[in-house]
């Protein structure tokens, strides 16, 4: 009984510190918004600058402070480093991308169904942001910055402090908190799935550089590359022609941008092949029981592990905040 109480307090501290980081992020972003309106109001119309000022509180202030507080208040456990062969890395990359796209489809279906019932289509928040900033900003923020910071905060900091109670608990907690942090249903499903898989790789290899590189690869393929291709194709004009039923406009645009449309078609075929191959590989490995989790140093009954990790005030506060945010995003 005492072990369960100690474990709940341990996970609750983690949850409260992450909740404090969220509050700090939103507070600093609000302050920076007020400063921008007072000093440089024209910058509010530049989405690249807007994104920069929203990232600074998160990446340069809140996340580093979170790391320091966790280091001070919550004990961690060293994860043994193990080698990963080139072949294993390639298979991991295929599974990672395949699972992410499969989960993305599930998320899109869910939001579409919700939109049909509410009569209010659910906006894809991240797609709106990506489409409104320059491709180089997409490359800098989503491919270079986000994977490094997010893998440190949602893989290393969480897994190192949860693995004492079992690898399975650490992996699921990392994926769930990562998914919730995105704050919208469009991203929650695939972020939780990819976060869980990357946490599994981290707990088995102890090498954050592996998960960072895979995260970068996915964001490059799923974010930067299609953004560049669609802008080169002038997809916005194509959709306008399609909406207006202008077949001649669509045909002329395709002829003028034929090379880019061809590359985009090949890109879609590549994604479909990765999706199918990745999901099949995952199913095969799961059927062969390749995904095995080691127990933690502190023994907690298997059926109680997740309830101990999530059934505490800190984690409940973190989860409730983001669930409410997701619900608001769905119905407004």
């Amino acid at each position: 009984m005492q072990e369960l109480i100690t474990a709940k307090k341990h996970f609750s501290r983690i949850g409260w510190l992450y909740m404090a980081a969220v509050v700090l992020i939103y507070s600093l972003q609000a302050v920076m918004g007020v400063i921008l309106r007072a000093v440089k109001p024209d910058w509010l119309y530049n989405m690249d600058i807007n994104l920069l000022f929203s990232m600074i509180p998160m990446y340069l202030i809140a996340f580093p402070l979170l790391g320091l507080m966790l280091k001070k208040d919550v004990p961690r456990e060293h994860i043994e480093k193990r080698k990963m062969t080139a072949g294993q890395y390639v298979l991991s990359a295929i599974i990672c991308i395949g699972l992410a796209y499969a989960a993305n489809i599930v998320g899109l279906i869910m939001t579409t169904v919700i939109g049909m019932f509410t009569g209010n289509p659910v906006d894809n928040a991240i797609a709106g942001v990506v489409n409104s900033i320059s491709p180089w900003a997409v490359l800098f923020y989503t491919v270079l910055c986000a994977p490094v910071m997010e893998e440190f905060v949602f893989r290393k900091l969480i897994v190192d402090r949860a693995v004492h109670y079992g690898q399975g608990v650490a992996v699921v907690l990392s994926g769930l908190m990562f998914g919730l942090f995105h704050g919208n249903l469009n991203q929650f499903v695939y972020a939780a799935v990819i976060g869980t898989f990357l946490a599994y790789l981290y707990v088995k290899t102890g090498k954050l550089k592996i998960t960072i590189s895979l995260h970068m690869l996915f964001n490059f393929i799923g974010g930067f590359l299609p953004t560049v291709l669609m802008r080169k194709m002038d997809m916005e004009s194509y959709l306008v022609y399609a909406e207006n039923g202008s077949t001649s406009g669509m045909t002329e645009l395709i002829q003028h941008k034929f090379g880019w449309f061809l590359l985009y078609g090949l890109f879609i075929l590549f994604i479909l092949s990765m999706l199918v191959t990745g999901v099949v590989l995952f199913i095969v490995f799961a059927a062969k029981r390749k995904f095995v989790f080691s127990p933690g140093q502190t023994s907690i009954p298997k059926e109680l592990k997740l309830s101990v990790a999530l059934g505490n005030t800190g984690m409940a506060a973190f989860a409730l905040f983001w669930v409410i945010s997701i619900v608001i995003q769905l119905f407004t």
Side-chain angles (χ1 to χ4, degrees):
M1 178 61 71
Q2 185 58 44
E3 286 183 340
L4 295 180
I5 295 174
T6 301
K8 278 198 170 188
K9 289 181 178 179
H10 177 84
F11 286 108
S12 186
R13 284 200 298 272
I14 296 174
W16 280 120
L17 287 174
Y18 272 78
M19 189 65 245
V22 170
V23 172
L24 180 60
I25 290 169
Y26 274 80
S27 299
L28 290 176
Q29 286 176 342
V31 170
M32 286 196 167
V34 171
I35 294 174
L36 272 180
R37 287 185 179 87
V39 179
K40 281 282 187 179
D42 54 309
W43 282 6
L44 294 172
Y45 301 98
N46 187 316
M47 290 306 298
D48 288 0
I49 295 177
N50 256 307
L51 188 58
L52 173 64
F53 277 91
S54 68
M55 293 297 103
I56 287 175
M58 187 187 308
Y59 290 162
L60 297 185
I61 301 174
F63 281 174
L65 284 176
L66 173 62
L68 290 173
M69 293 302 295
L70 283 166
K71 182 178 180 180
K72 176 184 177 183
D73 294 340
V74 186
R76 61 180 290 269
E77 190 168 299
H78 175 73
I79 297 178
E80 182 183 353
K81 288 182 168 53
R82 298 181 180 89
K83 290 183 179 180
M84 172 182 274
T85 66
Q88 289 172 329
Y89 182 87
V90 172
L91 288 175
S92 297
I94 294 173
I95 292 174
C96 181
I97 294 171
L99 288 179
Y101 273 101
N104 188 38
I105 291 173
V106 172
L108 288 173
I109 292 173
M110 292 171 63
T111 53
T112 300
V113 171
I114 291 172
M116 290 171 60
F117 275 103
T118 61
N120 185 30
V122 180
D123 292 330
N124 189 328
I126 189 64
V129 172
V130 169
N131 291 332
S132 63
I133 62 178
S134 69
W136 300 114
V138 175
L139 180 66
F140 178 72
Y141 293 122
T142 68
V143 180
L144 299 179
C145 296
V148 174
M149 294 303 300
E150 290 175 359
E151 289 306 306
F152 175 73
V153 171
F154 290 98
R155 234 62 65 203
K156 184 172 180 58
L157 293 183
I158 294 174
V159 172
D160 285 3
R161 287 160 178 80
V163 75
H164 180 80
Y165 297 97
Q167 290 183 347
V169 172
V171 167
V172 172
L173 188 65
S174 171
L176 183 60
M177 291 182 71
F178 183 58
L180 286 171
F181 184 79
H182 284 74
N184 63 83
L185 189 59
N186 300 87
Q187 289 181 283
F188 168 75
V189 180
Y190 78 77
V193 169
I194 194 175
T196 300
F197 184 71
L198 291 176
Y200 171 79
L201 293 179
Y202 173 65
V203 84
K204 290 300 181 181
T205 65
K207 296 179 179 179
L208 200 65
K209 63 182 180 182
I210 290 175
T211 66
I212 289 174
S213 63
L214 288 176
H215 198 152
M216 285 181 170
L217 178 64
F218 172 71
N219 283 7
F220 178 82
I221 293 174
F224 176 71
L225 199 54
T227 298
V228 171
L229 289 174
M230 285 191 288
R231 293 190 184 188
K232 291 293 185 181
M233 293 160 54
D234 195 2
M235 181 61 79
E236 187 175 346
S237 296
Y238 181 85
L239 292 176
V240 170
Y241 289 137
E243 186 178 350
N244 295 331
S246 177
T247 305
S248 59
M250 294 164 62
T251 303
E252 184 178 345
L253 182 61
I254 292 174
Q255 291 174 343
H256 182 61
K257 304 277 188 176
F258 179 75
W260 292 110
F261 273 89
L262 178 61
L263 284 175
Y264 188 73
L266 293 174
F267 172 74
I268 296 299
L269 289 176
F270 168 75
I271 293 302
L272 290 174
S273 66
M274 294 291 284
L275 190 158
V276 173
T277 306
V279 171
V280 169
L281 283 173
F282 176 79
I283 293 173
V284 170
F285 287 155
K288 292 183 176 181
R289 299 183 182 277
K290 296 292 185 180
F291 302 111
V292 180
F293 299 104
S294 301
Q297 291 187 15
T298 295
S299 178
I300 295 177
K302 184 177 180 180
E303 65 275 10
L304 295 178
K305 284 188 175 181
L306 285 181
S307 63
V308 168
L310 301 175
N312 54 74
T313 56
M315 286 297 174
F318 180 84
L320 183 61
F321 174 86
W322 288 115
V323 168
I324 291 174
S325 298
I326 291 172
V327 171
I328 291 174
Q329 188 264 340
L330 286 175
F331 294 99
T332 57

